[in-house]
Amino acid sequence: MAFFKVRTEAESRAEVMRIAEIFRGKIVDVSTGSYTIELTGSPQKIRALTDMLRPLGLEDVVRTGRVAVSRGL
């Protein structure tokens, strides 16, 4: 899991939302100047989203390690 804080301006908001959708990320916070996106997936998927958001104004990334729970009873 990772959270991405992306600086957004009026002209980049739609593009950031589109990229988040492509990666099946969820926008969990919206402010006048930034979006916070939550993403779960492999380290490669998180790295790929990081690379896509960096040129658009990526401000911060917070990542967890692997998280799991056993299935069934």
Side-chain angles (χ1 to χ4, degrees), residues 16-43:
V16 171
M17 288 177 65
R18 183 179 54 80
I19 291 170
E21 272 184 32
I22 289 168
F23 281 86
R24 295 196 174 141
K26 180 178 179 184
I27 296 176
V28 295
D29 185 60
V30 176
S31 72
T32 56
S34 68
Y35 284 162
T36 301
I37 301 167
E38 174 190 326
L39 181 71
T40 58
S42 68

Side-chain angles (χ1 to χ4, degrees), residues 12 21 26 29-30 41 44-45 52 58 64:
S12 65
E21 272 184 32
K26 180 178 179 184
D29 185 60
V30 176
Q44 295 82 9
K45 182 178 180 181
M52 293 291 292
L58 183 62
T64 67

Side-chain angles (χ1 to χ4, degrees), residues 45-56:
K45 182 178 180 181
I46 293 169
R47 194 173 313 113
L49 182 58
T50 302
D51 293 343
M52 293 291 292
L53 294 176
R54 188 171 285 117
L56 297 174

